[in-house]
Amino acid sequence: MSETIEAPAEQAERTQQPRTYLMCRPEHFTVSYSINPWMHPDDPTDTQRAVSQWQKLYDAYRALGHKIELIEPQPGLPDMVYTANGGFVIDGIAYPPKFRHAERQGEETFFTEWFRDRGYEVVEPKTTNEGEGDFLLAGEVILAGRGFRSSDESHRELADIFGREVVSLTLVDPRFYHLDTALSVLDPVVAPGAEPTIAYLPGAFDEASRRILAERFPSAIRVADADGSVFGLNSASDGRNVFISPRATGFEAQLAERGYTPVTIDLSELLLGGGGIKCCTLELRGAGA
Ligand code: ARG
């Protein structure tokens, strides 16, 4: 009689899902103001270095078969490289940002026009929200960060626009001011009702949010403080390849144990602005008409 031995879950074969991302070359990147604890305008930045590090991320995405769209960088808007904040897009519907800080509000029209010109259905935001920096699609639900940038009202707006359940999560550590600095969705596409694997830094959330995460995502990867504090969670995943910081060595090992393929890209220069891989990557779900 033959016996079937089930492979342990962590040995699972991971399937890559081709993605389309919006990126912005950091030609005007610098740190000239401070709106998060990582930004120190008195410390020097090297724009050329930022561009070449960014280029490696761009090349890695392309080499693995992803489609990259670009938005023109604008002088005087040094944070435009962080396109995750440029909106939130599902099924060709784009919800542009309304930034909390005046320093970034000039970006709003450029992102909005970019979506319009490409035929996305643009729904004008009524309240403060910072796009995919704070909103992450996890299976059928939208996880939404609050506490530092996006407003509570934006969570309700999101639910109305996209007709999905929005799960609000409260961030409590100023170093992790956007949801995408503390939580990463590793499976961009899952079967209906299936639990996507997520990874998160428990200490970045309040007690109630930690409880919600534990209940809804029992198989989540909990990341150590050492990995979280080097922006290890600010990563992009295609379901198989996970693009992460080379400094997050513990997280890298956890990913490998679960059958993912970590791809390390160093964006140390962009970390001076308080951003990493995910911040430079906006997922475009459903092309414009
Ligand atoms: N300097 C930018 C800011 O504070 C960094 C944005 C990082 N983006 C992100 N998706 N976490 O707004």
Side-chain angles (χ1 to χ4, degrees), residues 35-36 39 79 82 84-85 104 133 149 177-178 180 273-274 279:
I35 55 172
N36 70 54
M39 301 175 85
D79 276 343
Y82 305 116
N85 300 121
R104 296 198 66 182
R149 299 290 182 89
Y177 55 92
H178 278 137
D180 71 357
C279 300

Side-chain angles (χ1 to χ4, degrees), residues 210-234:
R210 268 183 263 164
R211 228 174 303 128
I212 294 171
L213 289 168
E215 259 163 43
R216 292 204 176 228
F217 301 96
S219 48
I221 299 177
R222 285 156 208 246
V223 168
D225 290 347
D227 294 312
S229 56
V230 290
F231 260 39
L233 283 162
N234 197 248

Side-chain angles (χ1 to χ4, degrees), residues 144-165:
R146 59 177 296 283
F148 294 102
R149 299 290 182 89
S150 298
S151 65
D152 294 7
E153 299 76 59
S154 72
H155 295 189
R156 289 191 276 278
E157 223 181 334
L158 261 188
D160 287 348
I161 295 168
F162 295 102
R164 287 172 185 260
E165 184 188 2

Side-chain angles (χ1 to χ4, degrees), residues 49-57 60 230-231 243-248 263-271 275-277 280:
R49 192 153 177 256
V51 171
S52 62
Q53 291 182 340
W54 177 94
Q55 188 67 43
K56 292 208 173 86
L57 179 63
V230 290
F231 260 39
F243 302 85
I244 62 162
S245 159
R247 284 152 220 228
V263 178
T264 58
I265 307 279
D266 187 16
L267 294 188
S268 59
E269 201 59 32
L270 291 157
L271 190 56
I277 292 169
C280 296

